[in-house]
Amino acid sequence: MLKYSMLYPENTCSRRSVNLSGMWRFQTDPQSCGVEQGWNDGLPAPDMIPVPASFADFYTDKETREFCGDFWYETDVFVPDEWKGREIDLRFGSVTHRATVYFNGVEIATHEGGFLPFCVRITEIARYGANNRLVVLGNNELSETTLPCGSVSTLPSGRKIAKPYFDFYNYAGIHRPVWLIATPKEYIFDFSVSHAISGSDAVVSYHTVTTGDNEVTIEVKDEAGNTVAMAKGKDGEIDIPNVHLWKVRDAYLYQFIIRIVDGETVVDEYTEHIGIRTVVIQNNNILINGEPVYLKGFGKHEDSDIVGRGFNMGVMKRDFELMKWIGANCFRTSHYPYSEEIYQLADREGFLVIDEVPAVGMFPSLMNFTDASSGKQTAFFAQETAPELQKNHLLQVEEMIARDKNHACVFAWSLLNEPDTLDESSTVYFEKIFDRCRELDPQKRPRTFALLMNSTPDKCKCWQLSDFISLNRYFGWYVLGGADIESAEIAFRKEMDAWAQLVGDRPMIFTEYGGDTNGQMDKLPSVMWSQEYQIECLDMCHRVFDSYPFVKGELVWNFADFQTTEGIMRMDGNKKGIFTRQRQPKRAAFTFKQRWESLPLDYKAK
Ligand code: GCB
């Protein structure tokens, strides 16, 4: 079990949460001399910078934008006097890719991994009724033992630059809100649920972890605020009569109020908003509440102008409005777990989410795709780095499930994106990750991973571990694009015919397909990069999907244009967006709107 609670900060009768977002002090440390020079006691020459945000795109000089190495943040944290006697934590939504935290000069925690939260306890060292100095040492270097994978190269000047093995900009910083939290000494540490439906009722099995021995009670309220069920005990089952199920694009959330009680006194109280639904894979179908669903939507990124990968509530809202407008019902959190607020909104809006751990770049080619279709074998998981990488991978699967396990929107876990699967060592590596995921998830959701173009039915050694198969395929773009598109369709169908022999009862979905498109460019007849070609290429893919009954979903790459490392394959970023980076539609968006609004939710159900 994790050392800290993953519960999202709340204010209740027993809890206080203060959001520390704002302007913090910031300084890069190119020489990595900060620790030696005592920057933990205060930064010598800081700039002011917003938290949460990536630091890169605020700056007008290339050195700071491309900065790779150690960077520092600092702020003052006032801890109220009236909080004496409680447990006090700092909770970081994420610091990319790793952090060391100093409080009043003292190192109190380190955390590896840039996309999941962590807490540090400051009860004993906080100065109450006074300001305290919080200093965070961040680092954004990439390696083959940490997630996501990449490397660092050093320029003749001695400056380091990041070499991601993945196709998104290596944004870094304090990307998500930081909270100061006060809980009682005896508090609710964890809560999880799993659901079963019986007739018109639901049976919710729950499990509570607290830090003491007092009684636990659960009160369930419906959306009108009426109490519909009560239970006692840390573990148990709650019957909810005439349950109002959480459905795709028709959400319903109950409030589960968890209390630690000592007689009449409420010691701690925490509320979770929980949608009740089941997920089963059966006969080539993805069943939500026993009903087949066809997935329509996107692979996305947390990416926008100026704030980079920093959580931005406005961008989140706009993205959901666009997804609703276009008729989508699903997205994959490619290629890392997103900000918690995004899952909360997906719960509320009834979107299905494939939650992905940051296991991307497990194929050491620059940008993760140029070598990819060459068929080059790398035996990535046979390298001596594999055991250390796997340790980090398992830990991040654990943290992701601990954080996201109660979300109704999360119906599946994606455990890797486009890894090397051509060597026997992959199977051994994967099995452990897949088993651990099953063991940790109270709801036993389906597990999958996104298969790279060279993971073909005859060569891939890992597809059979997936509960449903997820393909990333770029026929008509990286493979046989432009005037060759006719051959692309033939090659695509040939591969699909081979899958048809293998899939058995499993459904298949597409987790990526599409092509780069300049949202300003029209061309008749089409050429690659024009909006007309994007539509032709997508239409071709859809024709193929429509002719295979076991294909149960299409998540186009990508929702919006996004920033990548610069290079000859990318014109100021990846342009496969159906929307521009500013969240305006390309022409293809209207094609999707028409298609997705006309495809029923149970499209292709047997
Ligand atoms: C992929 C990767 C994704 C890239 C995409 C592309 O297969 O999974 O991260 O951005 O291809 O556009 O090349």
Side-chain angles (χ1 to χ4, degrees):
M1 201 175 69
L2 296 170
K3 289 188 297 245
Y4 38 81
S5 169
M6 278 282 186
L7 297 180
Y8 190 78
E10 269 183 18
N11 284 296
T12 70
C13 63
S14 56
R15 293 176 169 235
R16 292 292 171 270
S17 302
V18 177
N19 189 334
L20 301 178
S21 298
M23 294 298 275
W24 289 34
R25 298 184 278 283
F26 174 76
Q27 192 169 348
T28 58
D29 182 5
Q31 313 300 332
S32 282
C33 61
V35 174
E36 214 168 282
Q37 295 185 2
W39 292 17
N40 48 312
D41 281 319
L43 303 182
D47 187 24
M48 297 300 285
I49 192 177
V51 167
S54 302
F55 60 77
D57 290 347
F58 295 130
Y59 291 97
T60 52
D61 68 292
K62 198 154 175 166
E63 288 195 12
T64 316
R65 189 191 67 195
E66 297 296 325
F67 182 80
C68 178
D70 290 345
F71 51 85
W72 296 72
Y73 283 82
E74 179 189 336
T75 193
D76 300 319
V77 178
F78 184 83
V79 181
D81 209 29
E82 58 273 24
W83 287 9
K84 268 188 193 152
R86 303 192 187 200
E87 295 292 9
I88 317 294
D89 289 331
L90 288 163
R91 186 184 194 272
F92 296 82
S94 73
V95 183
T96 312
H97 294 289
R98 57 194 59 83
T100 304
V101 181
Y102 302 88
F103 200 70
N104 292 329
V106 182
E107 180 184 323
I108 49 168
T110 60
H111 182 259
E112 176 63 41
F115 304 95
L116 287 159
F118 61 97
C119 287
V120 293
R121 177 129 311 164
I122 54 168
T123 313
E124 301 300 328
I125 52 168
R127 284 193 294 264
Y128 291 82
N131 269 327
N132 295 259
R133 177 175 285 137
L134 168 61
V135 173
V136 180
L137 162 60
N139 176 282
N140 62 352
E141 290 172 49
L142 300 168
S143 79
E144 291 189 7
T145 59
T146 52
L147 280 65
C149 292
S151 61
V152 171
S153 77
T154 308
L155 301 175
S157 61
R159 212 153 55 78
K160 290 189 269 196
I161 51 171
K163 294 283 178 188
Y165 298 165
F166 48 87
D167 183 37
F168 49 93
Y169 194 79
N170 188 40
Y171 280 118
I174 300 183
H175 277 156
R176 298 178 190 159
V178 183
W179 296 83
L180 176 69
I181 303 175
T183 59
K185 290 280 183 197
E186 183 176 358
Y187 64 97
I188 300 151
F189 186 91
D190 193 23
F191 181 70
S192 51
V193 287
S194 63
H195 313 294
I197 302 166
S198 137
S200 58
D201 303 345
V203 182
V204 180
S205 304
Y206 72 92
H207 175 62
T208 318
V209 180
T210 71
T211 59
D213 296 325
N214 273 311
E215 176 89 278
V216 169
T217 67
I218 314 286
E219 179 181 359
V220 183
K221 287 189 177 177
D222 64 14
E223 284 192 354
N226 303 314
T227 300
V228 294
M230 300 279 276
K232 255 191 195 160
K234 286 189 181 181
D235 299 284
E237 286 187 347
I238 308 176
D239 294 327
I240 301 184
N242 294 316
V243 65
H244 197 143
L245 293 172
W246 184 96
K247 293 186 179 159
V248 181
R249 298 291 299 107
D250 181 15
Y252 191 91
L253 299 178
Y254 288 93
Q255 282 184 62
F256 279 61
I257 306 164
I258 308 134
R259 297 189 180 94
I260 301 177
V261 291
D262 182 3
E264 293 295 292
T265 315
V266 175
V267 179
D268 190 21
E269 181 177 303
Y270 187 83
T271 302
E272 284 258 32
H273 292 86
I274 289 179
I276 298 174
R277 54 99 191 89
T278 58
V279 184
V280 172
I281 300 291
Q282 209 176 63
N283 300 333
N284 300 123
N285 279 316
I286 300 167
L287 305 177
I288 304 290
N289 305 322
E291 288 166 15
V293 298
Y294 188 84
L295 311 179
K296 303 176 262 188
F298 303 96
K300 289 183 93 266
H301 265 296
E302 289 189 285
D303 173 279
S304 63
D305 282 335
I306 303 178
V307 294
R309 190 143 292 120
F311 174 64
N312 181 305
M313 227 178 267
V315 172
M316 169 177 79
K317 176 67 183 163
R318 173 74 179 175
D319 285 4
F320 274 86
E321 288 306 308
L322 291 175
M323 288 193 290
K324 290 193 285 185
W325 170 82
I326 206 169
N329 61 21
C330 180
F331 61 93
R332 173 173 64 129
T333 70
S334 38
H335 294 306
Y336 37 81
Y338 290 177
S339 304
E340 292 151 286
E341 295 78 1
I342 295 175
Y343 302 76
Q344 292 165 4
L345 192 51
D347 278 345
R348 187 62 72 197
E349 296 281 10
F351 277 89
L352 292 167
V353 172
I354 302 177
D355 205 0
E356 186 160 277
V357 76
V360 56
M362 296 186 175
F363 199 104
S365 60
L366 196 66
M367 307 262 282
N368 194 23
F369 60 83
T370 30
D371 276 0
S373 26
S374 69
K376 187 174 122 188
Q377 299 234 1
T378 64
F380 190 72
F381 300 104
Q383 302 182 126
E384 58 184 18
T385 43
E388 184 66 19
L389 177 68
Q390 191 177 53
K391 220 173 79 194
N392 281 317
H393 197 157
L394 289 167
L395 188 61
Q396 298 208 28
V397 169
E398 182 179 354
E399 291 181 6
M400 174 175 79
I401 295 176
R403 190 192 73 162
D404 296 339
K405 60 181 185 272
N406 289 341
H407 286 292
C409 64
V410 176
F411 79 100
W413 309 107
S414 169
L415 299 174
L416 306 102
N417 180 69
E418 300 199 333
D420 185 354
T421 63
L422 304 184
D423 186 81
E424 302 290 350
S425 59
S426 319
T427 324
V428 180
Y429 182 100
F430 280 44
E431 274 168 355
K432 205 157 172 190
I433 305 281
F434 274 71
D435 288 350
R436 186 79 180 124
C437 175
R438 177 49 51 95
E439 189 188 325
L440 290 166
D441 180 15
Q443 300 188 2
K444 310 296 172 211
R445 293 166 175 90
R447 301 149 300 168
T448 192
F449 75 100
L451 271 74
L452 176 68
M453 194 80 202
N454 71 355
S455 296
T456 47
D458 54 327
K459 296 211 183 78
C460 178
K461 301 224 166 17
C462 301
W463 65 271
Q464 68 288 353
L465 296 171
S466 291
D467 298 310
F468 61 86
I469 301 168
S470 301
L471 294 189
N472 291 357
R473 289 296 178 270
Y474 288 98
F475 288 100
W477 187 253
Y478 295 125
V479 180
L480 300 166
D484 280 333
I485 194 165
E486 184 185 314
S487 312
E489 183 164 349
I490 294 169
F492 199 172
R493 287 178 186 276
K494 200 167 156 216
E495 187 186 341
M496 290 302 287
D497 291 343
W499 281 116
Q501 303 304 311
L502 290 181
V503 290
D505 272 355
R506 289 183 174 83
M508 171 183 279
I509 67 162
F510 283 84
T511 31
E512 291 185 25
Y513 63 102
D516 286 271
T517 305
N518 176 345
Q520 310 280 305
M521 181 177 155
D522 287 299
K523 189 93 175 178
L524 190 66
S526 75
V527 290
M528 291 174 82
W529 292 88
S530 68
Q531 306 209 63
E532 289 68 21
Y533 186 75
Q534 186 177 35
I535 293 172
E536 283 168 34
C537 178
L538 295 166
D539 281 349
M540 183 276 284
C541 293
H542 294 151
R543 263 198 312 276
V544 175
F545 303 167
D546 288 345
S547 32
Y548 292 87
F550 56 86
V551 172
K552 290 296 159 57
E554 47 191 66
L555 307 184
V556 66
W557 193 253
N558 185 285
F559 172 75
D561 293 346
F562 58 92
Q563 197 57 246
T564 64
T565 308
E566 57 191 308
I568 52 167
M569 304 280 283
R570 295 289 174 258
M571 202 184 72
D572 188 24
N574 187 308
K575 301 291 182 207
K576 294 191 186 68
I578 302 307
F579 298 94
T580 62
R581 201 182 192 210
Q582 292 69 39
R583 273 54 179 185
Q584 294 302 334
K586 295 184 190 171
R587 287 185 191 270
F590 299 94
T591 310
F592 272 109
K593 185 171 167 59
Q594 211 175 22
R595 175 174 168 83
W596 286 347
E597 284 181 344
S598 71
L599 292 184
L601 182 60
D602 65 352
Y603 178 49
K604 287 199 251 179
K606 278 186 201 127

